[in-house]
Amino acid sequence: MSELRKDGILVNAAPDYVDTGSNNHSGLLTAAQDATVLVRLATLGADGPTAGFFSEKGPVPW
């Protein structure tokens, strides 16, 4: 993933457990809460982090 940085592509993930119909509404976050993380990641500048996992609180270990 880090090799994509030279092309201006950052690859990150937000592996939260979201409350949806596909998990019988047992998730811990609403879709709106998770969307804030995804929007933040989608709008990172070229110097932003890459190859990471992120939650509402920031980076999480993987």
Side-chain angles (χ1 to χ4, degrees):
M1 287 181 257
S2 294
E3 60 270 9
L4 297 173
R5 182 184 286 278
K6 66 180 173 30
D7 296 321
I9 299 170
L10 305 177
V11 180
N12 292 296
D16 292 312
Y17 190 45
V18 180
D19 185 354
T20 66
S22 64
N23 63 19
N24 215 17
H25 297 285
S26 61
L28 304 175
L29 296 177
T30 67
Q33 288 171 312
D34 195 47
T36 61
V37 178
L38 298 175
V39 169
R40 185 178 62 213
L41 292 174
T43 58
L44 287 170
D47 61 340
T50 192
F53 286 83
F54 295 86
S55 72
E56 287 182 295
K57 297 174 184 170
V60 293
W62 58 287

